[in-house]
């Protein structure tokens, strides 16, 4: 891609030198057409959210399924817990569920929320901003939806008990993109 | 002069074509990348693969679409199962998912045939939330239910089979 672009650039410059100004305009319009075709060919969305393999380095990881096209990422841990994430392919949005399959104490859950937030927060800047805010929070604070302020975006955390059969607890994370 | 222009235009198109080919190649290979850790892909293809078993008899797996499936079978033959997804399910896919759930939980063939017959074009599948109770020839009760949460993108299909009394 880069090589072909540079070949085009070289050709383009040689032609400009050789054929003068009138043809320069023609070449410029051809180049504009070329660029627009290229951007159309790549994708039809103005924005998209990068898919991140959230649990790849988790020591308990058992199985992972990644689908870039639909923005779905799923991971199964050896203890039966699962992480189901959606990274919107045509907008800015991230939604992640951590489904806890075994009953845990409040302290264990608070720890889990912290380690989970380490893997879901999108950048080291966000982690620096959000992690101190998580300190000192009780489990009850997460039961009502809690939106923490990032640099110019929002990070929502929700904790629920037994929302579905088989699932003892659920932690939900949502990234709220910057509002312009 | 004109022929020079044509040659140049043709040259400009070469990378476009090359790039578009590159894109399709990529999307094909990336589209569904199932990454089993430790166990290799040959095993992944034999769907379904049960990954984890917890002491109380629950079994867990991710299917090839990345949906999370949990089920439990009691010794009396009753079954409970849930299929969690982060993408909404269209009506025709819903029917296939129900059959997949039944096959994975090793439902009786007679019941699978009955579901095939009765639910293939069910209007219920068009709803965002539904409950579908069924009774087979032997009077055994079953229930499928589906709940959608668009705001959080969580779609859950539940299945209960009461088993022998």
């Amino acid at each position: 891609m880069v090589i072909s672009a540079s070949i085009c650039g070289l050709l383009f410059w040689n032609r400009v030198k050789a054929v003068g100004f009138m043809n320069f305009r023609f070449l410029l319009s051809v180049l504009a057409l070329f660029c627009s075709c290229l951007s159309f060919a790549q994708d039809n969305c103005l924005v998209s959210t990068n898919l991140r393999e959230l649990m790849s380095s988790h020591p308990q990881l058992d199985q992972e399924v990644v689908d870039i096209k639909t923005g779905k990422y799923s991971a199964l841990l050896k203890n039966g817990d699962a992480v189901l994430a959606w990274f919107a392919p045509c907008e800015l949005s991230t939604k992640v569920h951590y489904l806890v399959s075994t009953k845990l104490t409040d302290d264990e859950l608070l720890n889990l929320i912290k380690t989970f937030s380490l893997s879901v927060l999108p950048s080291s800047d966000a982690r620096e901003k959000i992690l101190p805010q998580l300190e000192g929070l009780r489990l009850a604070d997460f039961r009502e939806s809690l939106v923490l302020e990032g640099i110019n975006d929002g990070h929502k955390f929700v904790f629920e008990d037994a929302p579905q059969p088989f699932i003892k607890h659920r932690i939900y994370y949502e990234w709220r993109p910057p509002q312009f | 002069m004109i022929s020079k222009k044509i040659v140049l235009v043709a040259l400009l198109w070469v990378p476009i074509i090359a790039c578009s080919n590159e894109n399709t190649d990529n999307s094909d290979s990336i589209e569904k990348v199932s990454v089993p850790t430790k166990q290799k892909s040959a095993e992944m293809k034999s769907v379904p693969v049960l990954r984890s078993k917890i002491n109380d008899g629950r079994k867990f797996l991710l299917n090839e679409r990345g949906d999370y499936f949990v089920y439990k079978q009691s010794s009396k033959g009753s079954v409970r199962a849930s299929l969690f997804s982060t993408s909404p399910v269209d009506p025709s896919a819903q029917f296939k998912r129900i059959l997949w759930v039944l096959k994975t939980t090793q439902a009786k063939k007679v019941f699978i045939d009955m579901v095939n017959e009765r639910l293939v074009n069910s209007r219920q599948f068009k709803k965002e939330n539904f409950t579908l109770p069924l009774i087979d020839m032997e009077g055994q009760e079953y229930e499928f239910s589906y709940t959608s949460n668009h705001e959080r993108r969580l779609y859950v299909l539940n299945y209960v089979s009461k088993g022998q009394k």
Side-chain angles (χ1 to χ4, degrees):
Chain A
M1 165 91 191
V2 177
I3 295 165
S4 56
S6 53
I7 291 170
C8 283
L10 210 67
L11 268 172
F12 179 64
W13 185 240
N14 281 340
R15 299 283 149 168
V16 169
K17 281 205 292 191
V19 295
F21 189 70
M22 274 307 281
N23 286 299
F24 177 73
R25 278 205 300 200
F26 167 73
L27 288 170
L28 208 63
S29 58
V30 170
L31 198 71
L33 187 73
F34 164 72
C35 288
S36 60
C37 284
L38 203 66
S39 60
F40 249 101
Q42 281 191 334
D43 67 285
N44 300 320
C45 298
L46 287 173
V47 289
S48 71
T49 315
N50 272 351
L51 189 149
R52 288 176 290 130
E53 295 180 11
L54 302 173
M55 309 302 280
S56 287
S57 55
H58 197 284
Q60 288 282 305
L61 181 69
D62 193 33
Q63 192 190 353
E64 250 181 332
V65 178
V66 183
D67 189 344
I68 305 255
K69 202 176 162 196
T70 56
K72 277 170 78 170
Y73 169 84
S74 315
L76 177 64
L77 304 184
K78 288 195 177 101
N79 61 4
D81 292 0
V83 173
L84 302 180
W86 181 67
F87 300 90
C90 262
E91 56 183 297
L92 293 178
S93 175
T94 302
K95 294 176 181 192
V96 188
H97 299 270
Y98 189 113
L99 306 171
V100 187
S101 60
T102 42
K103 194 137 183 66
L104 299 179
T105 63
D106 284 13
D107 285 343
E108 286 170 325
L109 284 165
L110 274 173
N111 271 329
L112 186 63
I113 292 175
K114 279 176 200 158
T115 47
F116 173 62
S117 67
L118 268 175
S119 37
V120 290
L121 289 170
S123 64
S124 55
D125 289 347
R127 281 191 283 275
E128 265 173 41
K129 191 97 199 260
I130 300 299
L131 290 178
Q133 296 183 59
L134 291 177
E135 294 297 328
L137 288 172
R138 293 160 304 137
L139 200 58
D141 298 323
F142 291 96
R143 282 182 203 274
E144 290 149 37
S145 69
L146 180 75
V147 183
L148 301 174
E149 271 181 42
I151 295 147
N152 54 1
D153 51 0
H155 303 270
K156 179 174 167 180
F157 288 90
V158 186
F159 171 80
E160 285 173 343
D161 276 318
Q164 295 286 343
F166 293 124
I167 299 305
K168 302 289 186 243
H169 316 278
R170 179 170 67 197
I171 307 163
Y172 172 69
Y173 166 81
E174 187 180 308
W175 174 60
R176 299 199 163 167
Q179 302 290 325
F180 297 108
Chain B
M1 197 62 226
I2 290 168
S3 68
K4 266 190 180 177
K5 282 180 186 174
I6 292 168
V7 168
L8 186 65
V9 172
L11 274 174
L12 281 169
W13 279 99
V14 169
I16 300 181
I17 294 160
C19 283
S20 63
N21 283 344
E22 217 171 73
N23 281 342
T24 52
D25 284 355
N26 278 346
S27 61
D28 278 346
S29 60
I30 290 171
E31 215 168 87
K32 266 175 196 165
V33 193
S34 223
V35 195
T37 49
K38 288 177 188 171
Q39 278 121 327
K40 284 296 162 193
S41 55
E43 198 192 332
M44 268 307 291
K45 277 172 190 160
S46 61
V47 201
V49 184
L50 295 181
R51 290 285 165 168
S52 309
K53 280 182 192 175
I54 302 291
N55 292 335
D56 63 0
R58 282 178 298 163
K59 290 167 189 167
F60 304 87
L61 68 100
L62 289 182
N63 71 10
E64 56 192 359
R65 294 181 73 240
D67 297 340
Y68 172 56
F69 186 57
V70 192
Y71 81 93
K72 185 177 176 176
Q73 224 156 1
S74 80
S75 51
K76 285 181 181 172
S78 70
V79 176
R80 286 189 76 97
S82 291
L83 185 58
F84 299 83
S85 180
T86 49
S87 52
V89 183
D90 65 66
S92 61
Q94 193 69 267
F95 176 65
K96 284 182 197 153
R97 277 157 60 96
I98 284 180
L99 289 181
W100 181 86
V101 166
L102 291 175
K103 278 173 193 156
T104 311
T105 57
Q106 285 143 5
K108 281 183 286 181
K109 197 184 168 295
V110 193
F111 181 58
I112 296 179
D113 290 344
M114 190 183 103
V115 167
N116 243 324
E117 208 171 285
R118 285 203 208 163
L119 298 186
V120 66
N121 288 321
S122 177
R123 286 188 186 176
Q124 296 284 335
F125 298 156
K126 289 177 187 158
K127 295 181 183 170
E128 291 187 352
N129 299 290
F130 64 77
T131 307
L132 261 173
L134 287 171
I135 299 177
D136 69 7
M137 302 296 191
E138 294 160 9
Q140 220 185 94
E141 292 169 44
Y142 306 84
E143 190 178 277
F144 294 100
S145 60
Y146 178 68
T147 54
S148 309
N149 187 337
H150 292 301
E151 202 197 317
R152 293 192 186 175
R153 280 193 81 96
L154 193 68
Y155 305 86
V156 188
L157 176 70
N158 291 309
Y159 164 61
V160 183
S161 146
K162 301 266 165 70
Q164 241 80 65
K165 275 164 201 163

